[in-house]
Amino acid sequence: MSFLEKYRSAADSRKSLVCVGLDPDPERLPDHLRGTADPVSSFLTEVVAATCDLVCAYKPNFAFFGAMGVAGWRRLEDVLSAIPGSTPVVLDFKANDIGNSARRYAQMAYEALGVDAVTVNPLMGSDSVAPFLEYPDGCAFLLCLTSNPGSADFQRLSTQDGPLYQHVARKALEWSRTGPCGLVVGATHARELATVRRIAPGLPFLVPGVGAQMGDPGEVVRCGSDRNGGGLLVNVSRSVLYASSGRDFAGAARCAAESLRAKLERERASSLSP
Amino acid sequence: MSFLEKYRSAADSRKSLVCVGLDPDPERLPDHLRGTADPVSSFLTEVVAATCDLVCAYKPNFAFFGAMGVAGWRRLEDVLSAIPGSTPVVLDFKANDIGNSARRYAQMAYEALGVDAVTVNPLMGSDSVAPFLEYPDGCAFLLCLTSNPGSADFQRLSTQDGPLYQHVARKALEWSRTGPCGLVVGATHARELATVRRIAPGLPFLVPGVGAQMGDPGEVVRCGSDRNGGGLLVNVSRSVLYASSGRDFAGAARCAAESLRAKLERERASSLSP
C-alpha cells in the first residue's frame, strides 16, 4: 500500500490527523526505565503501543537516533518494527544531496529503514529531489516554511517569484506530477499555511509545531486542510512523549495525543459543516 | 587541535588542497575484494592508506553509508578509525533541523562519530545553524552554491539581497563571529566562486565538483583561494576512488589524487608568484 493510501486509511478509520513525533531524549526518559536493558527502545515501544490506534502516522526524527551512534540506529530499527504496518512512518531526516548521493539517501529511507515517507530539504533543487520521487509508494515532504524562528532568514526572503517558501510550494506542485511529494509547513505560521494550501491544494502537508512550539491546532485545520478537511499530518512530539515522567508516561502520552486528536476533529467537523 | 589548525597543518606540510571524498558504492568495488569479510571497509581502508600523505582532508558522505543500513554505520566508524589523527575529517551530511534537533545532529557528527567538521544545509536559518557553531574546534560548512544543475532552482534565485547563495555567504560571514564555519561552493561555478570569495575573504571553502563533475582545478584555485593561496578543500570522490577497478585500485587512487594535488599546487604557485 502506498504512503498516501495508508495515511488516508489511518486518518479516516481513526478520525485522526495526529502524527506523533518520536524524538527520544535520553535525559527525559522516565526514571523507572533507567535500569532496563534498553530504556530508549522500551520507552518508544510503550508510547507506540499506547497511541497507535489514535494516530495517522509516526515521525521518528533521525537526529535523535543518530546522536546515539550505532546504538541509535538499532533503536530506530526497534521502534520501526514496533509500529503496526497499518500506520505510515515518515522519517524526519531533512537531508539531501546531489542526484548521485540523494539516490543513496532515498535508499537509506525506503530500503535500509523501510519507512513510508521522508522529509527532504529542497535547497539543492530538482535533481536532488528527483531520486525520492522514483518511489511511487513513498512521499517526499519538502521543507517549505519550517516552524522555527530561523525560517525567516532564508525561507521568507522575497525573490523574483515571491517569498522563497511559496516558490518551493510551486516547485513541489510541479514535481508532484513526477512522483509523490508533500510539504512541511510549521503550525506557527497559520496565515502562510493558508497561502501554501492555495498554491498546492492537493498535496499532503506535514505540520509540526503545535505542541511545545505553541502553534494553534484549530488554526492549522482551518488554514491548512484540503477541501475534504484532510491532507494534514499534524505533528506533536515533546508534549506527547514527555507528558509525564512517571510510571504513567504511556497513559499520559495517550491522553495528550487523544486531546490533540479531539481538538483537530472538532475543528474539522465545524469547518466541514455547511 | 581544531579543524582549522589540522587543515592548515595538513595542507601546508603536504602542499595539498586535495580532499578525498569517501563515497563507497558497493557496485563499483574491485572484483577481487568481493570475497573478503567486509569489502567496503577493506576498500576504504586501502584507499586511505594509499592517499593519506597527499590530502588535506577526507570527506565521507553519510548518504553512501546510510544506504547500507546499520552495517554502513559500522563501516563509517571503521574508515574513521583508519584515518590518521593528523588529517581532518569533514562529515558530508547536508542535513539540519530546528535548534532542538539540530543540536542532536551536531552531537551525531562531533560526539558520536567524532569528526572534525560537517556540512550543514542552511535553509532553516540561524537557530538551526547555531548548535553547530557551539563546537569551537569544529567547522560547519554551509551549502552556498552546490555543484549540481539543480542549484539553479533556488540557490540562484534573485532576492531582495541579491542571489540567494550570496545572501547565504553573507550570513555565514556574520555567523562565523559566533563559531567556526565555512562554505560549500561547487567547482562547476568558477565565476560565482570568485564572488563568494570576495564576500567571505577568510572563510574556508569546501569545493566539490572537479572530478566526475568536470570542474576545472586551475580555475578553482584562481577564483576561490584566499589571499594566502589557501582556504580551499578541493574535493574529488569518484575519480579517485574508482580510478581502477582492478587489483591496483589503491595505487591508481593515489595517482589520481597526486595528479590533482600537483595541478592545484602549480596553479597555487603561479597565482602567488609576483
Side-chain angles (χ1 to χ4, degrees):
Chain A
M1 202 157 40
S2 72
F3 165 78
L4 274 177
E5 288 164 342
K6 264 197 196 185
Y7 158 71
R8 286 183 189 133
S9 165
D12 289 350
S13 65
R14 298 169 194 164
K15 297 193 191 311
S16 177
L17 299 176
V18 177
C19 172
V20 168
L22 301 171
D23 303 358
D25 180 344
E27 288 165 24
R28 299 185 73 176
L29 298 185
D31 281 337
H32 74 282
L33 290 178
R34 290 184 195 273
T36 61
D38 191 332
V40 169
S41 291
S42 304
F43 174 72
L44 293 175
T45 305
E46 286 198 51
V47 168
V48 167
T51 55
C52 63
D53 60 328
L54 291 179
V55 304
C56 67
Y58 286 104
K59 180 179 77 61
N61 185 315
F62 190 78
F64 288 79
F65 295 91
M68 296 187 276
V70 71
W73 191 291
R74 294 266 187 225
R75 288 166 184 154
L76 177 54
E77 290 177 333
D78 284 349
V79 67
L80 292 176
S81 68
I83 296 173
S86 56
T87 306
V89 176
V90 183
L91 181 70
D92 198 1
F93 191 45
K94 298 193 180 78
N96 207 351
D97 209 316
I98 65 170
N100 177 49
S101 311
R103 175 155 289 111
R104 302 296 167 160
Y105 274 141
Q107 281 176 2
M108 172 179 150
Y110 289 124
E111 298 176 36
L113 291 167
V115 298
D116 301 287
V118 58
T119 60
V120 172
N121 189 310
L123 181 64
M124 297 180 69
S126 54
D127 60 295
S128 75
V129 173
F132 292 93
L133 306 180
E134 290 172 14
Y135 290 80
D137 288 342
C139 186
F141 282 93
L142 305 181
L143 304 185
C144 177
L145 184 60
T146 54
S147 56
N148 61 320
S151 61
D153 287 326
F154 303 117
Q155 297 166 38
R156 284 181 181 274
L157 277 184
S158 293
T159 77
Q160 67 222 48
D161 299 313
L164 179 61
Y165 74 89
Q166 294 181 20
H167 190 58
V168 170
R170 281 190 294 271
K171 279 285 180 189
L173 186 67
E174 179 189 326
W175 295 335
S176 70
R177 287 180 216 126
T178 311
C181 61
L183 291 165
V184 178
V185 186
T188 47
H189 313 291
R191 205 176 51 209
E192 293 79 0
L193 186 57
T195 306
V196 177
R197 180 50 83 197
R198 280 194 294 275
I199 295 173
L203 296 191
F205 289 1
L206 175 62
V207 183
V210 296
Q213 297 177 71
M214 307 293 284
D216 178 73
E219 278 201 317
V220 169
V221 172
R222 283 194 297 279
C223 299
S225 55
D226 62 18
R227 60 183 171 183
N228 302 315
L232 290 173
L233 292 83
V234 183
N235 187 75
V236 63
S237 303
R238 287 170 274 180
S239 59
V240 163
L241 296 181
Y242 309 112
S244 162
S245 59
R247 289 184 181 272
D248 61 339
F249 75 94
R254 181 178 175 84
C255 286
E258 169 56 24
S259 159
L260 176 59
R261 192 198 67 76
K263 267 185 214 155
L264 294 169
E265 284 310 296
R266 268 199 304 276
E267 194 64 39
R268 180 148 79 152
S270 72
S271 70
L272 283 177
S273 65
Chain B
M1 202 157 40
S2 72
F3 164 78
L4 274 177
E5 289 164 343
K6 264 198 195 184
Y7 158 72
R8 285 182 190 132
S9 165
D12 289 351
S13 66
R14 298 167 194 165
K15 298 191 190 313
S16 179
L17 300 176
V18 177
C19 173
V20 168
L22 302 171
D23 304 357
D25 179 345
E27 287 166 22
R28 297 184 74 177
L29 299 184
D31 281 337
H32 73 282
L33 291 178
R34 290 183 195 273
T36 62
D38 191 333
V40 169
S41 292
S42 306
F43 173 72
L44 293 175
T45 305
E46 286 199 49
V47 168
V48 167
T51 54
C52 62
D53 61 328
L54 291 178
V55 304
C56 67
Y58 287 104
K59 181 179 76 61
N61 185 315
F62 190 79
F64 288 80
F65 295 90
M68 296 186 278
V70 72
W73 190 290
R74 293 266 187 226
R75 288 166 184 154
L76 177 54
E77 289 177 335
D78 284 348
V79 67
L80 292 176
S81 67
I83 296 172
S86 56
T87 305
V89 176
V90 183
L91 180 70
D92 199 1
F93 190 46
K94 298 194 180 77
N96 209 350
D97 211 315
I98 66 170
N100 175 49
S101 311
R103 173 156 290 112
R104 303 298 167 158
Y105 273 141
Q107 281 176 2
M108 171 178 151
Y110 290 124
E111 298 175 37
L113 291 167
V115 298
D116 302 286
V118 58
T119 59
V120 172
N121 190 311
L123 182 64
M124 296 179 71
S126 55
D127 61 294
S128 75
V129 173
F132 292 93
L133 306 179
E134 289 172 15
Y135 291 79
D137 289 343
C139 187
F141 282 94
L142 305 181
L143 304 185
C144 177
L145 184 60
T146 53
S147 56
N148 61 321
S151 61
D153 286 326
F154 303 117
Q155 298 167 38
R156 284 182 181 274
L157 277 184
S158 293
T159 77
Q160 65 221 52
D161 299 313
L164 179 61
Y165 74 89
Q166 294 181 20
H167 190 57
V168 169
R170 282 190 294 271
K171 279 284 178 190
L173 186 66
E174 178 190 328
W175 295 335
S176 70
R177 289 182 215 124
T178 310
C181 61
L183 290 165
V184 177
V185 186
T188 46
H189 312 291
R191 204 176 52 208
E192 294 78 2
L193 187 57
T195 305
V196 177
R197 181 50 83 195
R198 280 194 295 275
I199 294 172
L203 295 191
F205 290 1
L206 174 63
V207 183
V210 296
Q213 295 177 73
M214 307 294 283
D216 178 70
E219 278 202 315
V220 169
V221 172
R222 283 194 297 280
C223 299
S225 55
D226 64 17
R227 59 184 172 184
N228 302 315
L232 290 173
L233 292 84
V234 184
N235 187 75
V236 62
S237 304
R238 286 170 274 180
S239 58
V240 164
L241 296 181
Y242 309 111
S244 161
S245 59
R247 288 185 181 272
D248 62 339
F249 76 93
R254 181 177 175 83
C255 286
E258 169 55 25
S259 159
L260 176 59
R261 192 198 66 78
K263 267 185 215 157
L264 295 168
E265 284 311 295
R266 270 200 303 278
E267 194 64 39
R268 178 146 81 151
S270 72
S271 70
L272 284 176
S273 65

